[in-house]
């Protein structure tokens, strides 16, 4: 049954799964068993729940709430719920209000989220205080358009973006409506990886090979847009310090391998040949001096070493997303670790190596 409750804590819509509803039943049962056994709520859980991660969670719950220093007459409740490889524990302190009724005094929450990519995102999701959003868009400037990265805070009602700020621009700008790249994700160190295109012009295409241009690159920046200090070209005065890899045409798919942490990337080919790359720091992937499927796109020879794509496909991919699929969870017909290649006509699986 639903019980209306007035609370000073800001709340929004609630969408949940079995863990929340079942968790209430589990924890209510554990409380009853603890009382019946004459043991403390956390002590009973420590004894009953034989898991090292849960024991560490309980230790932290005791620490932050001052559990062992509770005063006589203070009412405290606990709950521990596990879902999707993350575990959350809460301690609630309540008191009897003047005139009757129960009031919540304090709530302490502890979370073991397991593996994470960006701790700021986890903190924002748990505390509800940050609501930061990062996005890539094509920006008009005085000399044309460019690929830009911005961040802002979603309003509490999710109706608008507050304090939007551009934190990175892939310059130079150019008067073109094509090849912006535009994928963004966090790497395992909390930096932003952003793909940029070479703007689909014979004028700008060679800049995919230029170390002084932001076009045709994968760039790696901090959450304020500044270059990551450990980038491969950070110490080269002639190179833009944000460059992570170069020689890309129009990369519109990025994904991190969930086990190895490898960065995988997909991009449009010049003659309908989509390209899949395992991107490594400092490497040159050849565009435009070498190209996929049908051989060199130009007659020029590439300077230095270019790395061949993992897989080429002779197919037009006007909508190009990217994800990595676990073979143990794939449908029977695609029971292998694969890269999903999204197009207007459907999904095509490309096996990786």
């Amino acid at each position: 049954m639903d019980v209306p409750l007035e609370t000073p804590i800001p709340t929004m819509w609630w969408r949940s799964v079995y863990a929340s509803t079942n968790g209430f039943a589990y924890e209510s049962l554990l409380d009853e068993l603890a009382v019946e056994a004459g043991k403390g709520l956390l002590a009973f859980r420590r004894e009953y729940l034989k898991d090292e991660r849960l024991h560490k969670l309980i230790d932290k719950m005791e620490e932050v709430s001052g559990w062992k220093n509770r005063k006589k007459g203070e009412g405290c409740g606990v709950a521990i719920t596990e879902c999707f490889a993350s575990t959350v524990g809460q301690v609630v302190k309540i008191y009897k209000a003047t005139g009757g009724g129960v009031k919540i005094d304090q709530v302490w929450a502890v979370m073991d989220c397991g593996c994470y990519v960006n701790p700021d995102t986890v903190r924002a999701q748990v505390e509800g205080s940050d609501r930061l959003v990062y996005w890539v868009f094509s920006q008009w400037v005085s000399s044309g358009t460019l690929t830009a990265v911005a961040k802002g805070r979603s309003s509490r009602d999710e109706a608008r973006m507050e304090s939007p700020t551009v934190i990175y621009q892939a310059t130079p700008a150019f008067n073109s409506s094509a090849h912006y790249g535009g994928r963004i994700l966090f790497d395992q160190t909390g930096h932003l990886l952003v793909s940029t295109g070479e703007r689909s012009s014979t004028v700008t295409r060679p800049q995919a090979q230029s170390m002084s241009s932001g076009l045709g690159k994968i760039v790696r920046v901090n959450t304020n847009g500044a270059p990551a200090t450990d980038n491969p070209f950070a110490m080269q005065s002639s190179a833009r310090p944000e460059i992570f890899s170069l020689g890309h045409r129009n990369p519109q798919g990025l994904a991190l391998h969930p086990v190895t942490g490898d960065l995988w990337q997909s991009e449009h080919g010049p003659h309908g040949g989509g390209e899949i790359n395992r991107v490594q720091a400092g490497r040159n992937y050849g565009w435009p001096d070498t190209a996929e499927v049908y051989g060199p796109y130009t007659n020029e020879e590439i300077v230095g070493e270019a790395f061949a794509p993992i897989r080429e496909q002779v197919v037009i991919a006007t909508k190009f997303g990217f994800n990595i699929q676990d073979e143990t969870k794939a449908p029977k017909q695609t029971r292998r670790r694969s890269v999903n290649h999204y197009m207007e006509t459907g999904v095509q699986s490309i096996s990786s190596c």
Side-chain angles (χ1 to χ4, degrees), residues 19 22 27 32 89 199 216 218 233 249 263 277 287 333:
N22 289 357
E27 293 302 293
E32 292 180 16
R199 307 307 310 281
I218 304 295
F233 306 107
R249 184 172 184 264
L263 175 65
N277 293 300
W287 179 257
Q333 64 271 25

Side-chain angles (χ1 to χ4, degrees), residues 267-290:
E267 63 186 84
H268 290 267
H271 300 291
E275 184 175 302
I276 302 295
N277 293 300
R278 186 189 290 116
V279 179
Q280 298 184 44
R283 289 194 169 182
N284 184 345
Y285 291 86
W287 179 257
D289 299 333
T290 62

Side-chain angles (χ1 to χ4, degrees), residues 16-33:
S16 187
V17 289
Y18 66 90
S20 296
T21 50
N22 289 357
F24 177 81
Y26 294 153
E27 293 302 293
S28 297
L29 175 60
L30 286 176
D31 284 348
E32 292 180 16
L33 293 174

